[in-house]
Amino acid sequence: MPLSNAELWAAALGYVLPPVIAIVAQPRWSGAVKGLFMLVVAVADGLGTAYFNDQFHGKSIVTCMLAAAIAIGVAYHTVWRPSGIAPGIERATSTGGPRHAAAEPPAGA
């Protein structure tokens, strides 16, 4: 069964979303929290692509969300994490903990 335009757009957008997700995700978050956040982004991707492709009805919405979730997961684990880009973005945009601990002088020095 061939994919519709909406499903292809959802997958294509999902492939480039991991760096955007990494901007919000924090290194201190557990894997489960990061996974849930990825699913929320995949739902938004699927809803948006189905809506903007005039396929906003039952099965199309669900398949767009699934295509986005699969694309985000595959892209993250095959491209963005091994290259170090997504983890680097997470560290650079982290709001908690010392980001540049090595650059700070030790206490008492």
Side-chain angles (χ1 to χ4, degrees):
M1 178 173 162
L3 295 175
S4 70
N5 282 342
E7 294 160 350
L8 291 172
W9 275 110
L13 184 58
Y15 200 79
V16 297
L17 277 175
V20 176
I21 293 170
I23 291 171
V24 177
Q26 300 291 301
R28 66 181 181 275
W29 289 2
S30 69
V33 172
K34 289 180 183 180
L36 286 173
F37 182 66
M38 182 274 299
L39 288 175
V40 168
V41 171
V43 166
D45 178 0
L47 288 171
T49 54
Y51 177 78
F52 287 112
N53 282 283
D54 294 325
Q55 295 184 1
F56 200 73
H57 49 82
K59 186 179 175 185
S60 286
I61 295 171
V62 173
T63 56
C64 285
M65 286 189 251
L66 291 174
I70 291 169
I72 291 169
V74 168
Y76 179 77
H77 288 287
T78 60
V79 175
W80 299 108
R81 186 176 67 176
S83 69
I85 294 172
I89 292 171
E90 283 183 19
R91 283 189 303 276
T93 60
S94 176
T95 58
R99 283 186 280 182
H100 307 289
E104 297 175 10

